[in-house]
Amino acid sequence: MAHEILPASKLSATAVSSPNENEHSFPSARRRSFLKGLGVVGAALSTSSLLTTISEAQSPKDIITVGDVAILRFLAAAEILETDLWQQYNEFGGIQDSEVPGGSGSPLYIKALEVLDGDMPQYIHDNTEDEMTHEVFINAYLESRGAEPVSLEAFRNLPSSQATGAQQIGRLTNLMQLSVDTTWYTRYRSRTLNPDLGDTLPQAIPSIAMGQHPAIPRTDDDVQPDPSKPHHISDLTQAIANTAGFHFATIEQGGSSLYPMLAQRVTSLEVLRIVLSIGGTEICHFQTWHDKAGNAPPLSVVDPVTGLTVTFPDLNSSPLGGEDFQTNLIMPEPTAFLSRKLPACSIIRPTATKGAAMGALKALTADGLFIGQSKDFFKFMRTLAIEADLALRQ
Ligand SMILES: [Fe+2]
Ligand SMILES: [Fe+2]
């Protein structure tokens, strides 16, 4: 089996060792046919990489499977997308400095974010910086193991916001037409329901889950002062900041689930360490944003651009209120895990591993994050997701 072309079903049993190990022990003709046999997955491997089967690796520490590479490549792409969206939030609402350069801030948008928490600009800055390091680290690790890093630069074609504060550069993500899935809010409060057991959870803020809404100012019209309101923050500006406040948590709860989902199919202990360690910071982010989202002030306003009414209810009052909506229940309520016959447990959910990468891509797409992106972008992302979802733990 060792040096033959592997069928697709065996791709995950293929190991990649570092380029300088066993460099001359793999006949080039065989290696070429091996790469050809790898098909689309093979494209992820640089020409300097050396392929062996697990049985040929020097020690278990050397092993990184094609499945591991596929998982890391999907995660690298996800982190690039996270960086791109967080960068846009930082340009308007964060702190622009040498750690996270770019943009010049939007004073009334920042004031509206600070209604949720006075430290919002710092948190936005830090979340942005974290994503930049995730992206850079995973790509650098892939290269260090002889695998191809991921670049989405070819797809940086979406327009920037026209509002003062943004850089005018090509973007990968669109924060101006979001349909924000807010089911995480009720999911983490329910004591009985878990999507992994087939349950569906209600939206906390149905009005931003339907239609297309901005989470950053689209133009300066979105951040006009209203002298009749505290701090001159108009209801429209506050609605945009509230939408951002919920979207922050929507993004980060996605990462909180995606990493444990994919970790279950990693083979290399070192790759598992990477996935667990980065995944943990996604949970830190989610916990922070979960706390802030509940501070979004109740309001109802018609967006003059979309014509849609945006409503943020008082989550602590009737007919909401109670455990599924109470705003200070920011820690994961214990719920059913693995089986309803087992005791309830406080957990990240969902964490079922099947179709994890494609599920994440579909969720981000459904949120409207990629409105305006090209067919080639979706094709590239789908390929990465399919490859990651084919990975099997060896
Ligand atoms: Fe991240
Ligand atoms: Fe994140």
Side-chain angles (χ1 to χ4, degrees):
M1 191 67 218
H3 292 160
E4 293 171 11
I5 298 171
L6 295 180
S9 61
K10 294 287 172 69
L11 286 179
S12 298
T14 307
V16 184
S17 64
S18 65
N20 53 1
E21 290 166 14
N22 305 324
E23 196 149 23
H24 306 294
S25 64
F26 202 93
S28 59
R30 280 179 178 166
R31 185 173 170 278
R32 273 197 301 276
S33 63
F34 196 175
L35 280 168
K36 199 175 160 198
L38 288 168
V40 71
V41 176
L45 302 165
S46 71
T47 50
S48 63
S49 70
L50 179 72
L51 302 169
T52 65
T53 61
I54 286 176
S55 60
E56 292 171 315
Q58 301 269 305
S59 73
K61 196 176 165 293
D62 295 334
I63 295 170
I64 169 172
T65 68
V66 167
D68 291 342
V69 169
I71 285 171
L72 288 176
R73 279 176 55 82
F74 180 76
L75 289 173
E79 295 293 349
I80 292 169
L81 294 168
E82 276 200 295
T83 298
D84 182 80
L85 74 90
W86 275 110
Q87 176 70 49
Q88 294 182 65
Y89 281 128
N90 195 69
E91 289 173 20
F92 283 118
I95 296 169
Q96 304 86 36
D97 61 10
S98 60
E99 290 172 344
V100 187
S104 55
S106 176
L108 276 168
Y109 179 68
I110 291 171
K111 276 189 182 173
L113 287 167
E114 286 173 340
V115 172
L116 279 64
D117 188 295
D119 288 322
M120 289 293 263
Q122 187 67 53
Y123 299 151
I124 290 169
H125 168 280
D126 291 356
N127 204 141
T128 311
E129 187 189 13
D130 291 358
E131 307 305 358
M132 291 161 71
T133 67
H134 291 168
E135 165 193 339
V136 169
F137 181 89
I138 295 173
N139 263 341
Y141 182 78
L142 281 165
E143 281 194 281
S144 78
R145 302 305 305 264
E148 197 78 26
V150 176
S151 171
L152 299 181
E153 287 307 298
F155 309 115
R156 199 170 280 287
N157 298 317
L158 296 182
S160 291
S161 162
Q162 294 304 300
T164 304
Q167 298 186 87
Q168 291 304 308
I169 56 174
R171 311 286 183 175
L172 297 167
T173 60
N174 181 345
L175 296 178
M176 295 178 278
Q177 291 173 275
L178 293 178
S179 310
V180 183
D181 183 348
T182 57
T183 54
W184 56 266
Y185 188 93
T186 53
R187 186 196 322 143
Y188 274 97
R189 283 168 172 70
S190 170
R191 292 185 72 87
T192 53
L193 303 180
N194 183 338
D196 282 339
L197 297 176
D199 299 321
T200 54
L201 282 298
Q203 296 285 349
I205 315 290
S207 96
I208 58 167
M210 298 176 294
Q212 297 177 354
H213 308 277
I216 53 173
R218 294 159 292 198
T219 66
D220 288 342
D221 290 347
D222 288 340
V223 281
Q224 290 301 310
D226 180 346
S228 72
K229 299 285 183 183
H231 307 293
H232 295 188
I233 304 165
S234 74
D235 282 349
L236 178 61
T237 302
Q238 190 63 58
I240 294 170
N242 286 4
T243 302
F246 273 87
H247 188 239
F248 296 165
T250 300
I251 289 294
E252 299 303 318
Q253 63 80 34
S256 300
S257 280
L258 178 62
Y259 276 85
M261 285 172 169
L262 291 176
Q264 295 166 67
R265 282 183 280 112
V266 162
T267 298
S268 154
L269 278 182
E270 191 166 72
V271 175
L272 183 62
R273 183 178 178 183
I274 293 169
V275 172
L276 293 179
S277 302
I278 294 180
T281 69
E282 302 293 341
I283 297 168
C284 293
H285 297 159
F286 169 49
Q287 177 71 24
T288 301
W289 300 124
H290 193 169
D291 186 24
K292 309 313 162 200
N295 297 334
L299 61 82
S300 193
V301 64
V302 176
D303 181 335
V305 176
T306 63
L308 298 171
T309 301
V310 185
T311 302
F312 287 85
D314 180 351
L315 295 164
N316 291 314
S317 294
S318 182
L320 306 172
E323 205 156 61
D324 285 355
F325 292 94
Q326 186 183 321
T327 55
N328 62 1
L329 291 187
I330 58 165
M331 298 188 191
E333 281 290 301
T335 196
F337 183 37
L338 301 179
S339 162
R340 295 190 204 278
K341 291 178 183 163
L342 289 166
C345 188
S346 176
I347 44 154
I348 294 299
R349 65 261 208 179
T351 53
T353 190
K354 191 167 184 287
M358 192 58 85
L361 181 59
K362 281 184 179 165
L364 293 172
T365 304
D367 279 348
L369 201 60
F370 306 133
I371 289 176
Q373 266 293 3
S374 64
K375 276 187 182 150
D376 284 349
F377 168 82
F378 288 107
K379 194 172 155 195
F380 185 82
M381 287 303 302
R382 265 198 303 273
T383 302
L384 289 181
I386 289 166
E387 290 172 5
D389 284 338
L390 282 172
L392 291 174
R393 180 168 165 75
Q394 301 298 306

